[in-house]
Amino acid sequence: MAALAPYPGRPGPSGEPDLTTALGTAAALRVGATTASAVVEATLRRIADVGPRVGAFVHVATEQAMQAAAEADRRLAEVPNRADRERDLPPLLGVPCPVKDLNPVAGMPYVAGSRALLGNVADVDDGVVHRLRDAGAIVVGKTTTPEFGFPCYTEPDVAPPARTPWDLTRSAGGSSGGAAAAVAAGLVPIAHGSDGGGSIRIPAAACGLVGLKTSRGRISPGPLGVDGPGLATNGVLTRTVRDTALGLDVLTIGWPGDGYRLPPPATTYLQACDRPPGPLRVGVLREPIIADCAVAPAALRAVERAEAVLRGLGHDVTEAPRPFPADRWAAFAALWSVLALSIPLPPQAEDLLTPLTRWLRERGRAVSGIEYAVAVAATQQLARATAVAWDSYDVILTPTLAQPPAPIGSLRDDADPAADFDAQCAFTPWTSTYNLTGRPAISLPLHREVTGAGEAAVELPYGVMLGARLGEDETLLSLAAQLEAADPWVGTIPTVG
């Protein structure tokens, strides 16, 4: 069970550096308050101590991380003047940042949460890893993911489940569950994640973090990956909106041949956090979109809290309609199953897959070429329908999840993968809408509530999700930063007991 401890906004009595935010860590390095080697050593100690209890890592790159830290210290020493460091050095120099195990990192295991890939080691860095390294980040390891990132829980057969540090009996969400657990437990200040149906926002909500799915075309999957149906994007999990904005600034540098490209920000995404968004029209939607399911009262109270703060900030808050009926969401299921089938695996690997992955691949085999083309067209039609339904709103506010963080094992159903899939939809009835439409959406940890009584009492996070029009990531970050300033959530962090 997790207990609450004061937020460690400065080095503790042990003298270890503050590792709670990426911007804070980078600033400490620039002023010479600590060294990259000390930061990484402290990070590795925390990972060794707490990492297994929250199921955050599937691989810790101790030697590579320490070598990268020594190189960061060398670069810092070459630029002794603080002003010159701010201008000339990359923004994440010396900051630990693990990579989700759906993306290859040269010399590290690349298993994607699957028994079918055990023993596989990557020989190249993915594009997003290049961008993180170019920004000076130190890749300290690979974080836990469910098999190929398909479920909204992180319970792979190859590693322990990822647990939210707020209550170790509950899931960290998925599929970036290990990344979220690592940040929420204070192991690292920022972690790479990816989102194809909510896989950054879901664990952000379950772990009390900030999680942004950017607009389609904002972050390139290149040069190794392709856009495909355009559902998924890379990103980061962080404690603060500004750390998320910094991550976006780092990752939005494109690659030759990108199929989607959006205009760059007016200045930077980080600077957008300091610009007031102006009065916005906010539509509130409490009704689930893709499933007929109950919504926990605490999740609705999180929305009510956000509504009150938004009104106090001068925004026009009204009710918003459901953008399309649930049955039109079937296009997502067709695309999702074909994506599962398209994973290049030898026939003998099929028996090593989880029941859910096998079920998804079997559904993919049943989708004909014309059915796939119709599904792609249907997603484009849904994007148009959503744009019409929400045209009068700048931002849409919903809960991120319909329920509190799910108990470990409560969603996974190996005996009935179809029921497993339906349970996931009921748990996440809003998130995939933004993957289908390509719009940006951010989950914010605006609310927490105590459940249970006595020794069983535990405080759990409840995320609220804000979504904007395609391309309006700056507006979303500006509003999110305004909410963070008006109703700060960085007051306490869970301490794993």
Side-chain angles (χ1 to χ4, degrees):
M1 191 67 65
L4 294 179
Y7 180 75
R10 53 187 179 275
S14 64
E16 291 185 355
D18 174 19
L19 302 179
T20 58
T21 70
L23 283 166
T25 303
L29 289 165
R30 278 171 166 71
V31 301
T34 186
T35 65
S37 295
V39 167
V40 170
E41 287 172 359
T43 297
L44 294 172
R45 286 196 299 272
R46 294 185 187 195
I47 291 173
D49 179 29
V50 178
R53 284 179 271 171
V54 295
F57 282 82
V58 291
H59 175 71
V60 182
T62 301
E63 185 175 343
Q64 287 191 32
M66 289 306 301
Q67 289 174 352
E71 173 62 17
D73 285 333
R74 184 192 64 78
R75 295 179 69 180
L76 286 161
E78 287 180 346
V79 186
N81 183 274
R82 178 179 175 182
D84 292 340
R85 286 179 172 182
E86 292 286 349
R87 185 188 65 247
D88 298 335
L89 295 179
L92 289 175
L93 184 62
V95 177
C97 179
V99 172
K100 181 178 178 180
D101 195 27
L102 290 185
N103 298 68
V105 179
M108 296 188 194
Y110 178 33
V111 177
S114 178
R115 288 192 298 158
L117 296 183
L118 281 174
N120 186 46
V121 176
D123 56 6
V124 295
D125 281 344
D126 192 23
V128 69
V129 180
H130 277 286
R131 295 300 177 227
L132 290 169
R133 292 196 197 277
D134 289 346
I138 295 177
V139 180
V140 293
K142 304 292 293 292
T143 56
T144 313
T145 184
E147 189 165 70
F148 303 118
F150 288 120
C152 69
Y153 51 80
T154 302
E155 300 172 19
D157 287 346
V158 297
R163 304 172 184 271
T164 176
W166 295 89
D167 180 352
L168 296 180
T169 69
R170 296 176 184 264
S171 171
S175 62
S176 305
V183 176
L187 309 183
V188 292
I190 185 172
H192 161 261
S194 55
D195 191 316
S199 289
I200 286 175
R201 292 159 289 153
I202 294 163
C207 293
L209 301 174
V210 176
L212 171 68
K213 186 212 83 80
T214 60
S215 290
R216 183 176 295 152
R218 186 65 72 195
I219 297 175
S220 169
L224 302 179
V226 297
D227 296 288
L231 299 177
T233 184
N234 288 289
V236 294
L237 287 123
T238 70
R239 293 190 181 282
T240 70
V241 174
R242 281 173 172 76
D243 273 3
T244 288
L246 175 62
L248 186 52
D249 280 321
V250 164
L251 296 178
T252 51
I253 303 169
W255 294 91
D258 284 343
Y260 299 102
R261 286 306 295 164
L262 292 176
T267 52
T268 68
Y269 294 107
L270 185 57
Q271 289 174 354
C273 295
D274 295 321
R275 291 196 297 269
L280 300 176
R281 295 164 295 174
V282 180
V284 182
L285 178 61
R286 297 171 179 82
E287 181 183 8
I289 296 177
I290 72 165
D292 180 13
C293 60
V295 181
L300 296 175
R301 285 191 287 271
V303 170
E304 291 169 2
R305 178 172 180 161
E307 284 183 83
V309 177
L310 288 165
R311 286 196 176 95
L313 291 168
H315 301 291
D316 180 18
V317 182
T318 59
E319 298 297 315
R322 188 177 181 174
F324 52 82
D327 58 2
R328 292 191 64 185
W329 180 83
F332 181 90
L335 297 179
W336 205 236
S337 61
V338 172
L339 280 172
L341 180 61
S342 68
I343 298 169
L345 294 172
Q348 62 269 25
E350 207 72 24
D351 290 340
L352 298 175
L353 303 177
T354 64
L356 177 68
T357 304
R358 292 201 304 271
W359 177 79
L360 285 169
R361 286 168 64 84
E362 192 60 35
R363 290 189 68 182
R365 292 185 183 94
V367 178
S368 68
I370 187 62
E371 288 171 334
Y372 184 80
V374 168
V376 171
T379 63
Q380 296 168 356
Q381 291 164 352
L382 281 182
R384 294 185 185 277
T386 302
V388 171
W390 289 348
D391 181 62
S392 60
Y393 308 99
D394 299 303
V395 172
I396 297 295
L397 168 66
T398 69
T400 306
L401 303 174
Q403 299 294 327
I408 297 290
S410 64
L411 296 177
R412 180 169 175 171
D413 189 345
D414 288 355
D416 190 348
D420 179 321
F421 189 78
D422 289 344
Q424 292 185 61
C425 292
F427 185 62
T428 65
W430 295 281
T431 55
S432 61
T433 299
Y434 291 94
N435 301 86
L436 280 170
T437 61
R439 291 173 167 234
I442 190 168
S443 181
L444 303 176
L446 203 66
H447 187 65
R448 296 195 294 266
E449 282 196 22
V450 175
T451 63
E455 293 185 359
V458 60
E459 189 172 34
L460 296 176
Y462 291 84
V464 297
M465 187 164 62
L466 299 170
R469 297 185 182 94
L470 180 68
E472 296 191 0
D473 306 67
E474 288 176 87
T475 298
L476 207 53
L477 287 166
S478 177
L479 179 60
Q482 188 183 54
L483 274 168
E484 184 179 34
D487 191 4
W489 49 76
V490 182
T492 53
I493 63 169
T495 298
V496 179

